[in-house]
Amino acid sequence: MTAIVAAGLTKFGKRGESLLEIAAQAALPILRGRWDEVDYVVVSNSYSGEFTSTSGINTQITTYLSLDEVPSVRVDNTSGSGGSALLMANSLILSNTARRVLVLGVEKMSTMRTREVTSVISSLLMPREREAGPSLPSLAALAAKLYIQRYNASRESLAQVSVKDHRNGAKNPYAHFTKEVSLEEVLSSPLVAEPLRAYEYSPISDGAAALLMVSNQEAYSFTGKPIFLKGVGAYSTSTSLTSREDLLELKSVREAGIRAMRQARVSKVDFAELHDMATVLELIQAEELGLLPKGKAWMATMEGRTELNGDIPINTSGGLVSKGHPIGASGVAQSVEAFLQLRKEAGDRQVKDPVTGLSLSMAGFGNSSVVTIYGVEP
Amino acid sequence: MKLYACVKCGMEFFERRAVCPTCRGEEFMEREAQLGEALVETQLFVTPAGFPEKYKISLIKVDGTKALVRRE
């Protein structure tokens, strides 16, 4: 397998800089002093065409970084692009196609207004389903209704995910929102798709995240504290929502998790970064991954078990809800958080002595998933 | 409500496909079906550009499959 030996991040949020400038901010701290070492660049980006009228973003970025002759590729798997980019970088190294890969996730979204962004994101739906007019947030709202009904979950428990995520985000200087919110504030924020409200969804953010990945054998020549990929699992579910048996089942999450855990030979992890585009998704995903029992994640959240000092801290970075969700950057930023946590460099949001971590990068409404398990040892 | 049905095995779809996921048949016929019970529904307050500003989205049972429907 492979290792992460360096990581970089920009602050997420509404940024005045261009797509290229944001990308460079995350990449430069990694690249300085290593210009001749990177031999492949994998760019995670989904919507440069839609948001900034830009194509060929991977070679534009390498040229902007004066890595003009370094081969590169753009990985697009919508909101799951980051996990897929990590998977590709891992494969490039394991197949001896490359030795030192820069993974760079970036998205600039604030060029458009909310309803236009909503329309762009909806373009990932199958044509006839898209024609009906659902937004991705509205699909999460349908899931929220089903979740509350099926498991007799309290409405407050979904909002509590947002409270917890914002509490963590307030400790993350790179987060879009660095302010705590109360349960009352969450439950009185504007409705987006009932029953879910604005503070229960990820905001529209610009931002970038970067990683340097190398083979396990080389890892210690870069840093005394490499973080190792122990397992990576990928799986897809039908993009046609009307073909799915049950909207509450995110089979791609479950199966990607099983594969990653099997490869990593672990049955539990010390923390997890999940894809909480909406609060309810964190609950469903935690259950699908076996981090919490089926139908009980809402209760565990209310009991504080997913807090920084709980037995399974979830979204220590603030998650997508608080940290923000620059689509192409999100999955890579999850790996950055795992890197910081496992190196015990996460500052005020550090969990106690973690040795393994998990991230879930999910595309669309669970259309595809990549789960990665990280460890302090190979 | 128009549905697509696999000519070989009869499986029904809301969304068109080139191949039937059950029997791998490649021929489909169109047929009309009655909307059944709504499984779940939500009111949108933020809608995608190009659509009305407020409506409901319902996941509805239709014979052997489901449909996604906008209700204004």
Side-chain angles (χ1 to χ4, degrees):
Chain A
M1 291 292 282
T2 59
I4 303 170
V5 294
L9 204 57
T10 69
K11 181 166 172 64
F12 286 5
K14 193 172 161 54
R15 305 285 307 259
E17 301 94 326
S18 71
L19 183 65
L20 292 176
E21 287 166 341
I22 295 169
Q25 272 181 27
L28 283 175
I30 293 179
L31 288 171
R32 286 188 191 108
R34 293 194 184 114
W35 296 103
D36 300 324
E37 293 172 16
V38 171
D39 60 5
Y40 223 107
V41 177
V42 178
V43 172
S44 166
N45 171 269
S46 197
Y47 296 109
S48 67
E50 290 85 344
F51 292 134
T52 60
S53 300
T54 308
S55 61
I57 190 64
N58 49 299
T59 56
Q60 289 204 37
I61 287 175
T62 52
T63 301
Y64 190 67
L65 294 171
S66 288
L67 297 171
D68 304 41
E69 296 178 3
V70 177
S72 64
V73 65
R74 171 205 191 198
V75 173
D76 168 17
N77 194 1
T78 67
S79 44
S81 299
S84 296
L86 202 75
L87 180 74
M88 293 301 133
N90 186 53
S91 303
L92 286 172
I93 296 167
L94 293 181
S95 65
N96 290 316
T97 304
R99 287 181 67 192
R100 294 138 184 193
V101 181
L102 176 71
V103 179
L104 180 50
V106 62
E107 206 79 58
K108 168 101 185 158
M109 304 174 71
S110 66
T111 52
M112 284 189 185
R113 301 166 75 91
T114 303
R115 290 191 64 211
E116 292 166 332
V117 174
T118 307
S119 169
V120 167
I121 309 289
S122 302
S123 68
L124 66 84
L125 298 167
M126 295 295 284
R128 196 176 177 200
E129 293 173 4
R130 182 185 177 193
E131 236 169 71
S135 60
L136 267 290
S138 74
L139 299 176
L142 295 176
K145 284 195 164 181
L146 292 171
Y147 187 89
I148 289 170
Q149 205 175 48
R150 191 170 307 168
Y151 302 121
N152 207 14
S154 68
R155 173 67 187 86
E156 289 73 21
S157 66
L158 275 61
Q160 185 59 33
V161 173
S162 171
V163 173
K164 182 263 300 170
D165 281 353
H166 280 88
R167 192 177 295 142
N168 295 347
K171 296 183 170 77
N172 184 353
Y174 295 95
H176 188 147
F177 294 124
T178 48
K179 188 171 104 35
E180 293 193 23
V181 295
S182 68
L183 200 60
E184 295 69 32
E185 284 172 304
V186 176
L187 289 171
S188 61
S189 62
L191 275 164
V192 174
E194 54 97 20
L196 297 180
R197 292 169 180 272
Y199 283 177
E200 295 180 284
Y201 288 105
S202 56
I204 295 164
S205 317
D206 307 329
L211 305 166
L212 182 62
M213 290 175 61
V214 303
S215 67
N216 282 0
Q217 293 75 24
E218 256 200 323
Y220 284 103
S221 66
F222 283 83
T223 173
K225 289 198 289 182
I227 297 308
F228 298 93
L229 266 65
K230 295 173 73 72
V232 187
Y235 208 84
S236 281
T237 317
S238 180
T239 293
S240 171
L241 301 157
T242 52
S243 277
R244 294 191 195 175
E245 279 290 306
D246 183 357
L247 215 51
L248 270 192
E249 254 190 62
L250 296 178
K251 190 176 177 188
S252 68
V253 174
R254 183 169 70 241
E255 294 294 333
I258 289 170
R259 281 159 178 74
M261 296 242 198
R262 192 187 299 145
Q263 187 178 34
R265 297 201 186 119
V266 298
S267 55
K268 62 178 281 298
V269 291
D270 298 322
F271 65 90
E273 283 289 299
L274 302 185
H275 191 92
D276 57 330
M277 173 273 275
T279 48
V280 67
L281 290 175
E282 178 176 309
L283 302 176
I284 302 171
Q285 292 161 356
E287 294 174 12
E288 292 286 23
L289 292 168
L291 303 174
L292 291 164
K294 194 96 179 153
K296 301 259 171 66
W298 68 274
M299 219 183 282
T301 302
M302 291 305 275
E303 290 163 356
R305 290 181 57 195
T306 60
E307 300 272 356
L308 290 179
N309 60 359
D311 62 297
I312 176 66
I314 293 179
N315 284 330
T316 59
S317 66
L320 275 48
V321 159
S322 171
K323 186 177 56 187
H325 184 22
I327 308 281
S330 279
V332 183
Q334 291 177 323
S335 303
V336 174
E337 179 69 7
F339 181 79
L340 294 174
Q341 286 287 354
L342 289 168
R343 282 162 62 105
K344 299 187 187 171
E345 293 170 356
D348 291 345
R349 58 184 198 286
Q350 180 65 51
V351 303
K352 196 167 180 290
D353 302 329
V355 293
T356 53
L358 174 154
S359 69
L360 161 67
S361 182
M362 189 178 91
F365 197 73
N367 303 354
S368 85
S369 295
V370 173
V371 172
T372 308
I373 311 285
Y374 313 82
V376 294
E377 286 173 5
Chain B
M1 170 67 56
K2 183 174 73 183
L3 293 182
Y4 303 96
C6 172
V7 169
K8 208 166 140 196
C9 76
M11 185 152 183
E12 292 172 330
F13 308 92
F14 177 73
E15 196 68 56
R16 273 188 66 190
R17 291 184 184 237
V19 181
C20 173
T22 309
C23 73
R24 301 294 177 198
E26 295 181 26
E27 271 187 81
F28 297 86
M29 54 182 218
E30 292 181 15
R31 70 171 200 82
E32 280 299 314
Q34 290 295 315
L35 289 177
E37 138 206 36
L39 299 168
V40 61
E41 184 174 79
T42 180
Q43 169 85 51
L44 281 74
F45 294 86
V46 180
T47 61
F51 286 90
E53 290 197 356
K54 213 171 151 187
Y55 50 82
K56 287 180 177 171
I57 286 288
S58 301
L59 186 66
I60 298 178
K61 246 191 117 33
V62 190
D63 290 354
T65 184
K66 301 180 191 89
L68 212 52
V69 175
R70 173 169 75 249
R71 290 176 164 174
E72 287 168 36

